């Protein structure tokens, strides 16, 4: 089994699509987040959720645009994450400017200022005085300076935790990294999906092939990595194994028979709540003829039924499988 290496191809159409969807999506998501934040803002959770949303949009564009360049995909999707963060804060900045202007207007001693200055100019004078910088950057510095207070949603009136200037900057950075990291990681994974370069299309859906006992996972991996497909096949049971088990699934080029198959091994188990959990163990490429060897080497249930016990065991497993 050899490792699948993305070709690092990125068609221009795909890049343009990713830029278009990323820009519109990033602005839109930042705006939605800002609108919701006027009611409630869940720290770390919002960056995570909106980072995932950005990652989804990026992955969609990557798949549609056939981008097989994981690093490029990561970088561009991370920028989408940063755009969401920037849009959100920019909307906050506008809200602040309007608010400041209202305060000035209402103040009898300062209201005359409003006759000569517009909200932008007034904000710039204020921000430069307080932080040394005008504009958006001055606003970010101002936010850090006044710090943020984290309160529990269940007890909004409680005192909460106040972050000082340094911690507010760290907090901004953590949020920014979540936006960029989550979105980037999802895009990286989308661009790393198997692709048939000859037919210029992505591989089809994952199809379950076989399973084996979880204790045999090391043996199976060893055999596959050594290219010993006969023994790999012998380790697989034709009848789905009980949990915890190791599943083998494959993806194929939907247009040709010649391309290697993309094989994935995963450890599948049931957790305490009875839900099925799956953990990826390994992935790799196997040629169609080697894959045939695996299929043909599998042990049929009848071949192992030397005694009555084992046969009964197999039958039970078969019935269980049907129930599932
Ligand atoms: Zn193909």
């Amino acid at each position: 089994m050899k490792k699948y290496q993305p070709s690092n191809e990125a068609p221009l159409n795909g890049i343009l699509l990713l830029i278009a969807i990323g820009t519109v999506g990033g602005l839109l998501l930042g705006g939605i987040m800002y609108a919701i934040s006027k009611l409630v803002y869940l720290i770390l959770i919002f960056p995570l959720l909106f980072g995932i949303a950005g990652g989804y949009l990026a992955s969609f564009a990557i798949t549609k645009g056939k981008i097989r360049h994981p690093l490029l995909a990561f970088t561009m999707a991370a920028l989408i994450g940063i755009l969401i963060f920037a849009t959100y804060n920019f909307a906050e900045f506008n809200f602040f400017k309007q608010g400041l202007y209202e305060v000035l207007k209402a103040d009898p001693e300062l209201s005359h200022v409003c006759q000569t200055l517009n909200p932008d100019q007034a904000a710039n004078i204020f921000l430069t005085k307080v932080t040394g910088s005008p504009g958006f950057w001055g606003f970010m510095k101002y936010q850090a300076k006044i710090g943020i207070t984290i309160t529990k949603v269940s007890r909004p009136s409680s005192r909460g935790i106040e972050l000082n200037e340094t911690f507010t900057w760290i907090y901004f950075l953590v949020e920014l990294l979540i936006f960029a990291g989550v979105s980037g990681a999802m895009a990286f994974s989308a661009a790393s999906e198997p692709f048939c370069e000859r037919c210029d299309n992505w591989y089809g859906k994952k199809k379950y092939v076989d399973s084996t006992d979880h204790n045999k996972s090391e043996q199976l991996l060893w055999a596959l990595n050594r290219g010993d497909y006969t023994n790999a096949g012998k380790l697989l049971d034709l009848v789905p194994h009980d949990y915890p088990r190791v599943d083998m699934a494959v993806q194929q080029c939907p247009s040709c028979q010649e391309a290697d198959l993309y094989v994935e091994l995963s450890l599948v188990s049931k957790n305490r709540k009875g839900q099925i959990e799956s953990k990826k163990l390994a992935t790799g490429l196997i040629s169609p003829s080697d894959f045939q060897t695996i299929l043909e080497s599998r042990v049929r249930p009848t071949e192992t039924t030397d005694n009555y016990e084992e046969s009964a065991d197999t039958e039970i497993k078969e019935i269980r499988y049907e129930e599932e």
Side-chain angles (χ1 to χ4, degrees):
M1 189 160 77
K2 31 177 213 237
K3 208 173 173 295
Y4 170 73
Q5 287 289 3
S7 63
N8 281 346
E9 291 289 331
L12 184 64
N13 283 346
I15 295 175
L16 293 176
L17 181 72
L18 181 53
I19 291 174
I21 289 184
T23 310
V24 175
L27 292 171
L28 213 64
L29 288 171
I32 294 171
M33 195 170 112
Y34 169 75
I36 302 174
S37 78
K38 288 291 141 210
L39 300 168
V40 66
Y41 186 89
L42 304 173
I43 60 152
L44 307 180
I45 295 178
F46 271 24
L48 185 70
L49 290 179
F50 282 88
I52 290 173
Y56 259 113
L57 287 181
S59 302
F60 171 79
I62 286 161
T63 307
K64 280 269 169 219
K66 299 181 178 176
I67 294 176
R68 292 96 76 193
H69 197 311
L71 212 61
L72 179 81
F74 178 91
T75 312
M76 291 181 72
L79 287 173
I80 297 173
I82 293 170
L83 181 63
I84 302 172
F85 177 84
T87 307
Y88 164 74
N89 279 292
F90 206 79
E92 250 341 323
F93 176 42
N94 274 312
F95 181 74
F96 162 81
K97 277 192 286 196
Q98 293 305 327
L100 182 74
Y101 206 65
E102 293 304 316
V103 171
L104 285 178
K105 259 197 210 161
D107 191 320
E109 279 177 36
L110 294 168
S111 58
H112 66 277
V113 176
C114 298
Q115 285 159 6
T116 49
L117 298 174
N118 63 29
D120 282 317
Q121 291 164 327
N124 280 342
I125 292 170
F126 173 81
L127 290 170
T128 311
K129 199 171 178 200
V130 179
T131 69
S133 312
F136 182 58
W137 180 237
F139 172 67
M140 291 307 284
K141 280 165 96 173
Y142 176 67
Q143 282 197 98
K145 213 175 176 85
I146 55 172
I148 46 172
T149 308
I150 300 164
T151 48
K152 278 189 180 162
V153 177
S154 53
R155 289 191 1 242
S157 54
S158 65
R159 269 201 66 204
I161 308 160
E162 283 168 28
L163 299 184
N164 66 19
E165 191 170 353
T166 312
F167 276 101
T168 304
W169 278 121
I170 294 172
Y171 167 76
F172 283 157
L173 188 68
V174 169
E175 281 210 325
L176 188 62
L177 287 177
I178 295 175
F179 275 115
V182 169
S183 177
M186 285 173 72
F188 186 92
S189 141
S192 308
E193 285 289 313
F195 190 91
C196 181
E197 294 296 327
R198 191 176 352 187
C199 308
D200 194 42
N201 54 22
W202 298 99
Y203 276 32
K205 277 211 174 88
K206 221 185 282 178
K207 277 182 255 165
Y208 168 82
V209 183
D210 261 315
S211 66
T212 187
D213 193 272
H214 73 288
N215 289 326
K216 291 184 191 164
S217 66
E218 301 252 313
Q219 265 175 287
L220 182 61
L221 262 172
W222 167 250
L224 286 173
N225 285 331
R226 250 183 350 162
D228 183 354
Y229 299 112
T230 310
N231 271 318
K234 280 183 185 164
L235 287 163
L236 294 168
D237 298 314
L238 271 172
V239 179
H241 225 274
D242 275 342
Y243 299 111
R245 69 186 197 202
V246 174
D247 276 2
M248 181 190 264
V250 291
Q251 282 172 268
Q252 258 174 303
C253 170
S255 312
C256 74
Q257 302 291 319
E258 294 86 51
D260 288 345
L261 288 100
Y262 185 77
V263 175
E264 184 181 307
L265 290 185
S266 41
L267 179 66
V268 186
S269 51
K270 259 187 190 166
N271 66 15
R272 279 187 204 152
K273 288 179 190 163
Q275 294 156 326
I276 308 286
E277 283 179 345
S278 178
K279 189 182 143 215
K280 207 188 278 184
L281 294 177
T283 56
L285 293 176
I286 295 178
S287 76
S289 63
D290 287 337
F291 187 67
Q292 203 54 40
T293 310
I294 295 181
L295 295 185
E296 283 162 8
S297 312
R298 287 178 300 179
V299 181
R300 297 186 177 277
T302 46
E303 291 170 25
T304 55
T305 54
D306 297 327
N307 55 54
Y308 176 70
E309 254 182 29
E310 259 186 278
S311 149
D313 192 24
T314 314
E315 267 171 28
I316 289 167
K317 276 173 198 160
E318 248 168 328
I319 292 163
R320 276 189 200 153
Y321 181 59
E322 273 163 17
E323 280 171 357
E324 280 170 27

